[in-house]
Amino acid sequence: MPYKWPDLLLVSAQYGSQIVGKVSPWIQPDAADEALRMDSQAALRQELEWATHLSLQACILHLPPSPSSADFAHVVNQVMHGLSGMAMWLRIPLMSGKSADLPSTAVEEDDSWERWNQVRCLTWHNAKLGVVLDVPAVLPPKEEIVRWYGEPVKALMLPTSVFLNNKRGYPTLTKAHQEMLLTFFAHGVQSAASEAAAAAVHPLRVYCEYLSYLFRKPPMPDGQEQLEVGYRDYLQAPLQPLQDNLEMQTYETFEKDLMKYTQYEAAVLEALLDRVPEEEAATRDIVLMVVGAGRGPLVRASLSAAERAKRKLRIYAVEKNPNAIISLQNLIATEGWGDRVTLVPADMRRWQAPELADIVVSELLGSFGDNELSPECLDGAQACLKPDGISIPASYTSYLQPITTAKLWNDVKVYNDLEHFETPYVVKLHRFTALADTQPVFTFRHPNREAAIDNARAACLRFDRTGRLAAVCHGFAGYFDACLYGSVHLSIHPPTHTPDMYSWFPIYFPLKEPVSLPADVPIEAHLWRCGAHHKVWYEWALTSPTAITHIHNSNGRSYYVGL
Amino acid sequence: MPYKWPDLLLVSAQYGSQIVGKVSPWIQPDAADEALRMDSQAALRQELEWATHLSLQACILHLPPSPSSADFAHVVNQVMHGLSGMAMWLRIPLMSGKSADLPSTAVEEDDSWERWNQVRCLTWHNAKLGVVLDVPAVLPPKEEIVRWYGEPVKALMLPTSVFLNNKRGYPTLTKAHQEMLLTFFAHGVQSAASEAAAAAVHPLRVYCEYLSYLFRKPPMPDGQEQLEVGYRDYLQAPLQPLQDNLEMQTYETFEKDLMKYTQYEAAVLEALLDRVPEEEAATRDIVLMVVGAGRGPLVRASLSAAERAKRKLRIYAVEKNPNAIISLQNLIATEGWGDRVTLVPADMRRWQAPELADIVVSELLGSFGDNELSPECLDGAQACLKPDGISIPASYTSYLQPITTAKLWNDVKVYNDLEHFETPYVVKLHRFTALADTQPVFTFRHPNREAAIDNARAACLRFDRTGRLAAVCHGFAGYFDACLYGSVHLSIHPPTHTPDMYSWFPIYFPLKEPVSLPADVPIEAHLWRCGAHHKVWYEWALTSPTAITHIHNSNGRSYYVGL
C-alpha cells in the first residue's frame, strides 16, 4: 500500500470495507540482491503499517516465483505478527506443474500450490494469510481448481486478457470460466478485473459490470439449501442425547425433515408386509416399540404405515425425557391414539416390557452412525424384542475420507488447546476438498445376537490417491449410511445421500497438526471406537505416509459420549 | 508382570530399584484373533496395575512383529496414561531391513526401528516409553547401531546364545559385541543376560559376572571428561553477557580452560611478530586492547606473548562489569603490571579511546560463534582500532547438523509451552545421533570495514543423507570454528575440535514437533539471524522433506539476546 492513497480521501469505514491494499510491485523481500532485499523488507513493513493505519481489511502481496519461498515466508511471518486486524493475501497463479499454460519464464515443475503450501506451513497456518488466485486464459484441469476449495481463497483476479468480446463488443468469459467463477462465488470468494490499460477514464467498468451480472446469476438456493446456509462450515458439538435431554427447538428441527419420516414409514410398511401375510392381516396383532419416541414422529409414521399396509398394530412409545413425555401425552389425546399407543416413561436400556415386540423402531443415529450410542441403546432395548423380531434400523455403516479444510481447522485452532483438536464436530462441510474416496469404517447390526456383545472397534483405513495432487490434510470427514429395513436406506454418505434430507450434517475429526501429503501416495489412517464403564469415545491417527500423528483423544481425555 | 511375585517378597524400595517387570509373553494386545486380543488387553492392564502396585521402575513388553503397530500403540498409549511413575520399555530386536540376520519368520523389509518409530510417534513421544534392544549373535552394520544412540535405549538383552566360551569354558563376547556394549554403557544403558535354560540353580550367574566385569572395564574418565560428565545432556540457557554481569563462578570456570588461553597467547604472539619486524622490536610500542577483560586471563596471555615475542606492549583492559573491575585492579597491583596495563571501566561499544589500537583481543564467542553478540560488540569496539589494525579473533563460522536426541527433546517438552521449543540451549550433547554431516552457516570477519554493516543473515542449508537410514530429527546441533589469527584456531566443530578445550558445549536448536525422515532423502533447513533495536535472535525451520515446520521464534517472541 504505497502512500498515494491519503487517509483523508475516505473515512476509515470505507477503507475497511471497500478497499484492499496492494503492496508495491517492485517489492521483493527475498531478492537475491542484498540492497534490493533490504529496501524491500523495509518498504514492505512501511506499506503494511500504512495499510493498518487506514484500517484496511487486507493487503495483497505477490508470491514470488522462486523455487524456495522460505525467505519470503520469513518476512511475511514477521510482519503478520505485527498486524492487528488486517489480513495478508498472497497472489498466486492458478496453475501447477502439471498444467500446460506455464509462462515460459517459470521454472519447470513450478507448482504454485506447493509454494503456497510451503509459505503456509512456515507461517504455521496463520489464519491471517489468504490466497488471491490469478485466473489464466486457459484454465488448468479440473482437479487443479478443486484443490483450492478447501484453501483460504479470498478473491480471484481476472486480467482483462482473459475476457472475450461478445457480438456487441462487450466483455464475456468462456463457459468454463463462468462455471469456475460461479463455484467460487458459492464458496464466498470475490472477484476483480485487473491490469487493464490505464488510458480510459473507467477502463474496467464494463468488466466489472459483467462480473456483477455473473455474481447475481446463481439461482437462489431452494428451501433446504436456505436452511443450511447459516450452518455452513460452522462447528457444532455433537449431541449427547443420553446425557442431556433434548430441547423443544431440537425436536422441532428434526421433525421438519419430512424425507426422514417418509423413509421410516416405508421401512415399517415393508417390515409389516413381510411379517404378516395377507391372510393373517385381520387377526394378527403386531407389537411395535418406538424406543426414544421424542415428540412422536416415529409413532405417527408407524401408525400411518400400518394403515397403508392394512395390518393391526399396537405401539409402545418409550421415552426417557420427561418433557417429551408431556408432548406425547397431549399428542395421543389430540390424535385419538389412546387405543393403539401405550406411553412408557422409561430408559429403553432398563425398561422391563410387559410383552415382547415384533418390531423395535428407533432414531438414535448420529452423523457418524454410532456416535450418539445407538449400538449401546439398542443392545439394551433388544431385551424387549422377540427372538425373530426386527430392528429398524437393521444396520448402519460409517464412512471416512481425508479432507482439506483450512477454515474449519483454523476455527478449532482458535481455542488454543489440545481438547478442541481431539473433539469431533458436526458441521455442514462447505469450503473443503475431498482428498480421496470414502472408505467404510464400522458396521453395527441389530438385533445383535452375539454371545458377548462388544461394540469396541478398530479400523485401519487405506485411501488410494493414485492420480491425486499434493495436498494438505486437515482431518477427516465422516458420514453414515443406515439400512432401515430391506431396501430402505437413510444416508448422508455422499455417493448414496438420501435426497432432500437435512437432519444430519457430516462429522469432522480434526488433526492437531495439518499433514502435507505428496501426490499419488496413499493415506493410511486408524480409527478406534472405545468404551469404558460410563462412556464411549473415538481415538484416531494418521499412520502413513511419513508424518505419523499422535493418537488423538487417548482414553477419551478430550471428548467422550456419556452412557 | 504376572502375579507370581507377591508383594511381601521384597520391600517396595527393592522392587523400585532392583526389579524390572516383564509382561507375560502370551499377551498380544493387537492379535488378529478377537478373543486373544480382548484377553490380552485385559491381562496387560491387570499386570501393569500389579507392577505399579509394586512400585516397579519399568515393565518390559515385546514389540510385536506385525507390519503395522498401530493397534499395539493404541493399547500401550492408553495404559501409559494410567501409569503414575512407572515406565514402559519396548523390547525390540537390534536389526533392520538391511541387516542380514533376519529370523526367517520376519516379514521381509521389517525394520524394527521403523516399527519403534511408528509406536513412538503414535504415542506422541511419551517420555515414559523406552527401548530394550535384543542383541543378536551377528551384529548389524555399524550405522544400524549408531542410530539408537539418540533414542531412549534403557537396556540391552543378551541371550545366552550370543556368548562364546573361552578356553576355560567361561562365557565371553566377540570384540564387536564388547565394543558395542562399552559404548552403550557409556550412554548409561544397562545390560542383562536372558533366556538361559531354567535347569541349573543360578544358570545366569557366570554371564552376569562377565557383564559386570565388562561394565567395570571402561577406563575412568580423564580430568576434562570428569568435569563434563555432570553436564551431559543437561540443557542450559545460553549466557547473556551483555545484559547480565557474569558471576565469579563463571569466570572461574572459564579461566580453568588452559588450552583456550594457550591458543590466544599463540595468536597474539603470531600477530606481534607479523606486525613488528625484528629491527623495530626495541623501539615500536604496540597498543593492544582487551575488550571484555573479565578477571584478566587475556591480559595475562597477551603479556606473556609479548615477552616471548620480545615486543613492547601497552594494554588497555576494557571491562563493563564493575565486579570484575575490582578483581582486575587487584590483579594489576599484585602482578606489578601497572606500567603496562591501563584499566578502563567502560562498555567497549561506547568507549572513546585516547589512542587507536594495533590489536583488539576479545573472547566474546558463544557456542554458536556469534550468539553472544560478538559481531555487534566488535563492530562497536573497532572504532578504537587503527585502519590496519588486527582483531583477534579475525573471523568465526557457525556449523549446524540435524540430530536425533529423544532425551533433550523430552526435557524441553516438560515445560509444556511454545517458548521452550523456540529457545536454543547450550548443552553437552551425549545421547544423540548425528543425521548428516555439518554444514557451515554464518561467517563474521573483524574488523568489518563495509560501508553499511549488517549482521543479519539468512542461510539455506542442504544436508545430504545419501546412504543414511530413516531417522527422527529432534532439532539441530550447532558449533563454531574461530580463526583467532593466522593459523591459530579455536574450534568446537567436531571435525576440527581444539583438543582439551572445554569452555564451550554445542548449542541445540529444538523443533516443536519431531520430524520423521525417510532414508537417503536430503534435509533442507533455514536459519535466520535477525536484529532489532535492542535485541538479536535466531529463527529456524526445517523446509524439506515433506513435513515443513513452522518458523520457530518469529520476531524473537520466545528467545532473544539483549543488546
Side-chain angles (χ1 to χ4, degrees):
Chain A
M1 192 68 188
Y3 290 123
K4 67 181 177 188
W5 288 72
D7 61 353
L8 293 175
L9 190 68
L10 299 171
V11 299
S12 64
Q14 289 175 304
Y15 269 117
S17 62
Q18 293 165 24
I19 307 284
V20 168
K22 252 175 79 175
V23 169
S24 295
W26 66 267
I27 289 180
Q28 293 173 49
D30 62 336
D33 178 76
E34 193 182 332
L36 175 56
R37 185 174 70 243
M38 290 180 69
D39 284 353
S40 289
Q41 294 188 6
L44 177 60
R45 280 172 220 269
Q46 219 168 39
E47 292 199 359
L48 289 174
E49 266 175 42
W50 179 243
T52 304
H53 173 74
L54 297 179
S55 313
L56 297 195
Q57 59 165 312
C59 253
I60 297 177
L61 185 61
H62 273 275
L63 179 66
S66 50
S68 165
S69 311
D71 286 313
F72 175 80
H74 174 237
V75 179
V76 167
N77 195 42
Q78 286 194 336
V79 298
M80 267 199 304
H81 285 282
L83 308 175
S84 46
M86 196 173 73
M88 293 274 289
W89 294 353
L90 294 187
R91 199 161 155 183
I92 299 171
L94 176 60
M95 58 158 188
S96 87
K98 289 191 181 175
S99 63
D101 68 327
L102 277 175
S104 55
T105 54
V107 184
E108 219 183 330
E109 288 197 272
D110 180 32
D111 180 341
S112 59
W113 182 88
E114 292 277 9
R115 283 187 288 124
W116 151 249
N117 190 45
Q118 193 185 31
V119 173
R120 171 251 300 278
C121 288
L122 287 169
T123 56
W124 220 1
H125 306 265
N126 194 318
K128 279 184 194 152
L129 200 65
V131 172
V132 173
L133 289 176
D134 269 319
V135 177
V138 180
L139 290 182
K142 181 108 202 237
E143 67 263 30
E144 314 239 356
I145 298 171
V146 170
R147 74 190 326 199
W148 290 101
Y149 289 168
E151 301 286 1
V153 178
K154 303 299 178 182
L156 301 177
M157 281 288 186
L158 293 149
T160 52
S161 58
V162 165
F163 290 83
L164 310 171
N165 284 324
N166 69 7
K167 286 172 213 155
R168 289 180 298 150
Y170 282 103
T172 179
L173 288 170
T174 68
K175 274 273 173 234
H177 279 84
Q178 288 184 39
E179 264 172 42
M180 186 190 71
L181 252 66
L182 290 177
T183 314
F184 273 111
F185 288 163
H187 281 81
V189 169
Q190 310 172 39
S191 69
S194 71
E195 288 167 25
V201 179
H202 288 299
L204 295 176
R205 190 191 179 109
V206 285
Y207 299 100
C208 290
E209 282 172 354
Y210 176 73
L211 289 174
S212 303
Y213 154 76
L214 266 190
F215 192 73
R216 281 191 307 268
K217 206 176 178 188
M220 280 306 288
D222 61 19
Q224 186 195 331
E225 251 188 276
Q226 234 170 350
L227 257 174
E228 288 176 355
V229 164
Y231 291 102
R232 281 181 183 167
D233 294 326
Y234 173 77
L235 298 172
Q236 296 174 273
L239 289 177
Q240 294 252 10
L242 275 179
Q243 281 194 327
D244 311 332
N245 283 322
L246 301 184
E247 291 168 16
M248 174 180 165
Q249 204 187 342
T250 313
Y251 286 121
E252 269 180 4
T253 308
F254 287 171
E255 290 162 14
K256 275 187 199 143
D257 193 342
L258 300 181
M259 177 49 90
K260 180 168 86 172
Y261 297 107
T262 303
Q263 295 296 92
Y264 268 101
E265 186 175 323
V268 174
L269 180 73
E270 226 177 281
L272 285 173
L273 293 177
D274 279 359
R275 196 157 180 92
V276 184
E278 188 67 42
E279 53 277 19
E280 298 178 29
T283 54
R284 183 152 163 208
D285 239 21
I286 288 291
V287 177
L288 181 146
M289 292 173 181
V290 177
V291 292
R295 305 200 311 177
L298 286 183
V299 175
R300 186 186 299 277
S302 302
L303 287 172
S304 172
E307 209 160 300
R308 284 169 58 197
K310 299 192 171 55
R311 296 297 186 270
K312 290 176 68 181
L313 196 61
R314 278 189 296 115
I315 295 183
Y316 290 91
V318 185
E319 175 56 48
K320 74 162 178 51
N321 180 356
N323 308 309
I325 290 287
I326 296 169
S327 310
L328 279 172
Q329 278 173 330
N330 283 329
L331 187 71
I332 292 169
T334 324
E335 300 278 342
W337 293 344
D339 55 336
R340 283 161 291 165
V341 179
T342 309
L343 188 53
V344 182
D347 186 318
M348 71 181 84
R349 290 168 292 175
R350 284 175 281 273
W351 177 49
Q352 303 282 337
E355 60 180 321
L356 294 183
D358 296 278
I359 304 173
V360 163
V361 185
S362 65
E363 51 169 332
L364 305 166
L365 297 175
S367 297
F368 200 53
D370 60 85
N371 63 304
E372 292 181 12
L373 310 196
S374 177
E376 285 73 13
C377 294
L378 294 183
D379 290 346
Q382 72 185 19
C384 313
L385 197 60
K386 289 181 185 169
D388 67 339
I390 294 165
S391 169
I392 293 175
S395 70
Y396 32 90
T397 299
S398 46
Y399 291 84
L400 207 69
Q401 103 187 123
I403 57 171
T404 297
T405 172
K407 160 86 170 65
L408 292 183
W409 188 86
N410 263 301
D411 285 353
V412 176
K413 187 186 173 192
V414 160
Y415 294 99
N416 199 25
D417 60 21
L418 176 63
E419 285 70 18
H420 283 82
F421 276 118
E422 295 194 331
T423 300
Y425 300 89
V426 167
V427 57
K428 176 65 193 162
L429 291 172
H430 187 60
R431 299 190 66 160
F432 80 107
T433 303
L435 302 179
D437 289 341
T438 58
Q439 292 294 325
V441 189
F442 307 135
T443 295
F444 292 86
R445 293 174 212 287
H446 298 286
N448 184 348
R449 299 299 186 194
E450 280 169 31
I453 291 182
D454 182 14
N455 292 322
R457 295 283 190 280
C460 174
L461 306 168
R462 286 188 187 82
F463 299 96
D464 180 41
R465 296 194 74 241
T466 310
R468 303 250 186 181
L469 300 169
V472 154
C473 176
H474 290 106
F476 303 90
Y479 316 96
F480 79 88
D481 185 334
C483 168
L484 292 182
Y485 182 82
S487 63
V488 185
H489 279 246
L490 283 186
S491 170
I492 63 162
H493 181 215
T496 60
H497 201 300
T498 308
D500 300 323
M501 185 180 69
Y502 53 84
S503 284
W504 294 275
F505 296 149
I507 199 164
Y508 166 53
F509 291 88
L511 287 176
K512 173 81 172 62
E513 304 288 337
V515 174
S516 292
L517 302 169
D520 297 312
V521 178
I523 298 176
E524 189 188 85
H526 280 75
L527 187 69
W528 294 273
R529 187 183 198 270
C530 312
H533 200 49
H534 281 298
K535 58 182 194 176
V536 172
W537 67 94
Y538 302 104
E539 303 186 16
W540 61 96
L542 194 147
T543 44
S544 182
T546 47
I548 304 165
T549 70
H550 78 280
I551 296 176
H552 289 62
N553 194 33
S554 183
N555 289 320
R557 65 179 161 202
S558 297
Y559 151 89
Y560 61 86
V561 187
L563 269 171
Chain B
M1 193 67 191
Y3 291 122
K4 67 180 175 187
W5 288 72
D7 62 353
L8 293 174
L9 190 69
L10 298 171
V11 300
S12 65
Q14 289 174 306
Y15 269 118
S17 61
Q18 291 163 25
I19 308 284
V20 168
K22 254 175 79 176
V23 168
S24 295
W26 66 267
I27 290 180
Q28 293 174 48
D30 63 334
D33 177 74
E34 193 182 332
L36 175 56
R37 185 173 69 241
M38 288 179 70
D39 285 352
S40 290
Q41 294 187 6
L44 177 61
R45 281 172 221 269
Q46 219 169 37
E47 293 200 359
L48 289 173
E49 265 174 43
W50 178 243
T52 304
H53 173 71
L54 297 180
S55 313
L56 297 194
Q57 59 165 315
C59 255
I60 298 177
L61 186 61
H62 274 274
L63 179 66
S66 49
S68 165
S69 311
D71 287 313
F72 175 79
H74 175 239
V75 179
V76 168
N77 194 42
Q78 286 194 336
V79 298
M80 269 200 301
H81 285 283
L83 308 176
S84 47
M86 197 174 70
M88 293 275 289
W89 294 352
L90 295 186
R91 200 161 154 184
I92 299 171
L94 176 61
M95 58 157 189
S96 87
K98 289 191 182 177
S99 62
D101 68 325
L102 277 175
S104 55
T105 54
V107 184
E108 220 184 329
E109 291 197 87
D110 179 31
D111 180 341
S112 60
W113 181 89
E114 293 279 9
R115 283 188 287 124
W116 151 247
N117 190 45
Q118 194 186 28
V119 173
R120 172 251 301 279
C121 289
L122 287 169
T123 56
W124 220 1
H125 306 265
N126 194 316
K128 280 185 196 150
L129 199 65
V131 171
V132 172
L133 289 175
D134 268 319
V135 177
V138 180
L139 291 181
K142 179 106 202 239
E143 65 264 28
E144 313 238 356
I145 298 171
V146 170
R147 75 193 322 200
W148 290 101
Y149 290 168
E151 301 286 3
V153 178
K154 302 299 179 184
L156 302 178
M157 282 286 185
L158 293 148
T160 51
S161 59
V162 165
F163 290 82
L164 311 172
N165 284 325
N166 70 6
K167 285 171 216 158
R168 289 181 297 152
Y170 282 103
T172 180
L173 289 169
T174 68
K175 274 272 170 234
H177 280 83
Q178 288 185 38
E179 264 171 42
M180 187 192 73
L181 253 67
L182 290 178
T183 314
F184 273 112
F185 287 163
H187 281 81
V189 168
Q190 310 170 40
S191 69
S194 71
E195 287 167 27
V201 178
H202 289 298
L204 294 175
R205 190 192 178 110
V206 286
Y207 299 100
C208 290
E209 282 172 353
Y210 176 74
L211 290 173
S212 301
Y213 154 75
L214 265 190
F215 192 71
R216 280 193 308 267
K217 207 178 175 186
M220 282 304 290
D222 61 18
Q224 185 195 329
E225 253 189 270
Q226 233 171 351
L227 258 173
E228 289 176 356
V229 164
Y231 291 102
R232 280 179 182 168
D233 292 327
Y234 174 76
L235 298 171
Q236 296 175 272
L239 289 176
Q240 293 252 11
L242 275 179
Q243 282 193 326
D244 310 332
N245 284 323
L246 300 184
E247 290 168 17
M248 176 179 162
Q249 205 189 341
T250 314
Y251 285 122
E252 268 179 4
T253 308
F254 286 172
E255 290 163 15
K256 276 188 199 142
D257 194 341
L258 300 181
M259 177 49 91
K260 181 168 85 172
Y261 297 107
T262 303
Q263 294 297 89
Y264 267 102
E265 187 176 320
V268 174
L269 180 74
E270 226 178 281
L272 285 174
L273 293 177
D274 278 0
R275 194 157 181 91
V276 185
E278 185 65 43
E279 53 276 19
E280 296 178 31
T283 53
R284 186 154 161 204
D285 241 21
I286 288 292
V287 176
L288 182 148
M289 292 172 181
V290 177
V291 291
R295 305 200 310 176
L298 286 182
V299 175
R300 188 187 297 278
S302 300
L303 287 172
S304 171
E307 209 161 301
R308 284 169 59 197
K310 300 193 171 54
R311 297 295 187 271
K312 291 177 69 183
L313 197 61
R314 278 189 295 115
I315 295 182
Y316 290 90
V318 186
E319 175 55 49
K320 75 165 176 50
N321 179 354
N323 308 309
I325 290 288
I326 295 170
S327 310
L328 279 172
Q329 277 173 330
N330 283 328
L331 187 71
I332 292 168
T334 323
E335 301 278 343
W337 293 344
D339 55 334
R340 284 161 290 167
V341 180
T342 308
L343 188 54
V344 182
D347 185 319
M348 72 181 84
R349 290 169 291 177
R350 283 174 282 273
W351 177 50
Q352 303 284 334
E355 61 181 321
L356 294 184
D358 296 278
I359 304 173
V360 163
V361 186
S362 64
E363 49 169 334
L364 305 166
L365 298 175
S367 296
F368 201 52
D370 60 86
N371 63 304
E372 292 181 11
L373 309 195
S374 176
E376 285 72 13
C377 293
L378 294 183
D379 290 346
Q382 72 185 17
C384 313
L385 196 61
K386 288 179 184 169
D388 68 341
I390 294 164
S391 170
I392 294 175
S395 70
Y396 33 89
T397 299
S398 46
Y399 291 84
L400 208 68
Q401 106 188 120
I403 57 172
T404 297
T405 172
K407 159 84 171 65
L408 292 183
W409 188 86
N410 263 301
D411 286 353
V412 176
K413 187 187 175 193
V414 161
Y415 293 99
N416 201 23
D417 60 21
L418 177 62
E419 286 69 19
H420 282 83
F421 275 119
E422 294 192 333
T423 300
Y425 300 87
V426 168
V427 57
K428 175 65 193 162
L429 292 172
H430 187 60
R431 298 189 66 161
F432 80 107
T433 304
L435 300 179
D437 290 339
T438 59
Q439 292 294 324
V441 189
F442 306 135
T443 296
F444 292 87
R445 291 173 215 287
H446 300 285
N448 184 347
R449 300 300 187 192
E450 280 170 31
I453 291 181
D454 181 14
N455 292 322
R457 296 283 189 282
C460 174
L461 306 169
R462 287 188 185 83
F463 298 96
D464 181 40
R465 295 194 75 240
T466 311
R468 302 250 186 183
L469 300 169
V472 153
C473 176
H474 290 105
F476 302 90
Y479 316 95
F480 78 89
D481 184 335
C483 168
L484 292 181
Y485 183 81
S487 62
V488 185
H489 278 246
L490 282 186
S491 169
I492 63 161
H493 181 216
T496 60
H497 201 299
T498 309
D500 301 323
M501 186 180 69
Y502 53 85
S503 285
W504 293 276
F505 296 149
I507 199 164
Y508 167 53
F509 292 88
L511 287 176
K512 175 81 170 64
E513 303 288 338
V515 174
S516 292
L517 303 169
D520 298 312
V521 178
I523 299 176
E524 188 187 84
H526 281 75
L527 187 69
W528 294 273
R529 187 183 199 268
C530 311
H533 200 47
H534 281 299
K535 59 182 194 175
V536 172
W537 68 93
Y538 302 104
E539 302 186 15
W540 62 97
L542 193 146
T543 43
S544 184
T546 46
I548 303 167
T549 70
H550 79 280
I551 296 177
H552 289 62
N553 194 33
S554 184
N555 290 319
R557 66 180 160 200
S558 297
Y559 151 88
Y560 60 84
V561 188
L563 266 172

